[in-house]
Amino acid sequence: MDSRNLKRITVFAGHYGSGKTNIAVNYALKLASENKSVAIADLDIVNPYFRTKDSEKILTDAGIRLISSPYANTNVDTPALPAEAYSVIHDGSKYSVIDVGGDDRGALALGRYMPDILKQNDYEMVFVINKYRYLTSTPEDTVEVMREIELAAGAGFTAIVNNSNLGEETTAEVVLSSAKYAESISKLTGLKIMFTSVKEDLFDELDGQINNLFPIGLYVRQSWLR
């Protein structure tokens, strides 16, 4: 991950099941490992049972402040958004990571906070892509999903993260095979590829073959990593 020109606020959104929650958690942990003060906000109102809160202990142990709905990981299916989320936007002393619910429905929650984020003018809005998910297997279909999310959020993406994987069945070839797909999306949209994620045990095998390779651990429950 290139720390140059690092924005204070990073929003991760994408198609349902793209793995954005695991990316958000890994990104927050990476920032904390660089001695940055970090907060992460969970704005997922689509799936209240599969949340950033799954990783609460590891985040807390790393000194990361977690903000999530009081109903996260309970049997109360209520689309409640944490009022504290505004604090991660306005607190200039912290690097803030925001995990948005899947697809355009999930991005509607972001719309409440987006005017404040835009005013800060110090953010990345990152589209997490996964070639191996239903409805995003081609660059054209993926861009269509991206535009729907942008419309719902009220803002455009500024970068892409290639998180193409097959869960525990992911091999180095699976990741390499997604490179052209990610490059095509980058060309279609004019967005930079912020990084390509890869499981930690595959990093050495792929290092040098893909630019901006980012090793990730598994910190959320597996079932097509949200």
Side-chain angles (χ1 to χ4, degrees):
M1 184 175 71
D2 189 351
S3 60
R4 292 172 297 180
N5 301 317
L6 189 65
K7 303 298 185 180
R8 189 180 66 78
I9 301 170
T10 307
V11 179
F12 290 100
H15 177 46
Y16 183 79
S18 60
K20 60 188 174 42
T21 293
N22 199 50
I23 293 295
V25 170
N26 276 273
Y27 188 81
L29 289 169
K30 175 63 174 176
L31 292 177
S33 74
E34 297 174 351
N35 298 315
K36 294 178 172 61
S37 180
V38 183
I40 184 168
D42 181 355
L43 301 188
D44 190 346
I45 63 171
V46 176
N47 187 355
Y49 308 113
F50 196 102
R51 308 291 294 267
T52 307
K53 195 172 178 66
D54 295 338
S55 311
E56 183 171 16
K57 185 178 187 306
I58 192 168
L59 291 167
T60 301
D61 289 348
I64 297 170
R65 181 187 178 201
L66 170 62
I67 298 168
S68 64
S69 166
Y71 302 109
N73 290 354
T74 73
N75 61 358
V76 179
D77 186 7
T78 302
L81 291 170
E84 287 181 292
Y86 285 102
S87 68
V88 305
I89 297 169
H90 295 286
D91 185 353
S93 69
K94 289 187 179 297
Y95 283 85
S96 300
V97 178
I98 299 176
D99 175 25
V100 180
D103 298 324
D104 53 341
R105 182 186 167 204
L108 286 171
L110 178 62
R112 177 188 299 185
Y113 304 96
M114 205 65 219
D116 291 84
I117 294 173
L118 292 171
K119 286 179 183 177
Q120 293 290 313
N121 196 30
D122 190 12
Y123 73 96
E124 292 276 16
M125 184 164 157
V126 184
F127 185 48
V128 179
I129 61 175
N130 187 340
K131 174 184 177 181
Y132 304 105
R133 289 302 287 145
Y134 176 61
L135 295 182
T136 57
S137 60
T138 70
E140 292 77 15
D141 287 346
T142 305
V143 172
E144 183 176 348
V145 170
M146 187 187 91
R147 298 307 184 199
E148 291 171 353
I149 293 174
E150 289 179 326
L151 183 62
F157 285 100
T158 63
I160 297 165
V161 162
N162 180 13
N163 189 45
S164 296
N165 70 88
L166 291 171
E168 289 302 314
E169 298 179 10
T170 304
T171 63
E173 181 56 36
V174 164
V175 180
L176 285 170
S177 295
S178 71
K180 288 185 178 179
Y181 159 83
E183 289 168 3
S184 294
I185 294 170
S186 177
K187 289 178 181 177
L188 285 170
T189 62
L191 300 179
K192 64 187 177 184
I193 299 175
M194 189 173 183
F195 57 79
T196 296
S197 68
V198 61
K199 293 192 303 178
E200 291 172 332
D201 60 355
L202 293 175
F203 181 79
D204 289 342
E205 186 175 352
L206 288 167
D207 190 24
Q209 299 190 64
I210 296 179
N211 293 330
N212 298 327
L213 198 62
F214 184 55
I216 61 171
L218 175 58
Y219 298 118
V220 297
R221 284 177 287 167
Q222 184 182 0
S223 178
W224 285 101
L225 311 180
R226 281 12 179 222

